[in-house]
Amino acid sequence: MMNVSPIIIGGHTFTAISVELPKTNLLVVTSEKGYIMCGALDVALLNEKLKDRGIIAGRAVGVKTIDQLLDAPLESITYGAANLGIHTGMAGREALLKMI
């Protein structure tokens, strides 16, 4: 099953997407500029193979719900996210507010 819903953080609207897959869940919260995602995100691929795209994204691991994704510290980020002042250890919701 897939669920797409708006969420409000700091007065701004983001889109939360969760996809139930066999034995795991895919979790994403996105803005128009970038997104945070569960451990399925391959930050190294984005930074190396797709560097020219300047993708703004962060990855949190060990999360099972959108709320956990928002509260979890980011384990890794893209170069594009770093350019916005996002850093590892930053909570997902705080990173999203920098992606406005």
Side-chain angles (χ1 to χ4, degrees):
M1 179 159 103
M2 186 168 109
N3 182 36
V4 178
S5 59
I7 58 171
I8 308 296
I9 302 170
H12 302 278
T13 303
F14 298 86
T15 302
I17 304 160
S18 60
V19 181
E20 292 179 21
L21 301 170
K23 300 182 184 181
T24 191
N25 292 325
L26 179 65
L27 305 168
V28 181
V29 179
T30 185
S31 72
E32 290 187 19
K33 273 189 181 179
Y35 56 93
I36 60 172
M37 192 170 164
C38 64
L41 180 65
D42 188 344
V43 172
L45 171 81
L46 298 178
N47 280 339
E48 295 165 16
K49 303 282 185 192
L50 304 177
K51 184 179 180 180
D52 60 318
R53 296 184 189 185
I55 294 170
I56 299 167
R59 172 185 175 194
V61 295
V63 297
K64 296 180 181 175
T65 67
I66 293 293
D67 285 335
Q68 288 177 356
L69 177 61
L70 294 173
D71 293 333
L74 297 180
E75 176 266 343
S76 55
I77 59 168
T78 61
Y79 299 138
N83 289 338
L84 288 181
I86 297 167
H87 57 82
T88 58
M90 179 179 279
R93 74 179 67 243
E94 186 179 350
L96 286 165
L97 290 172
K98 292 190 172 282
M99 295 180 193
I100 300 172

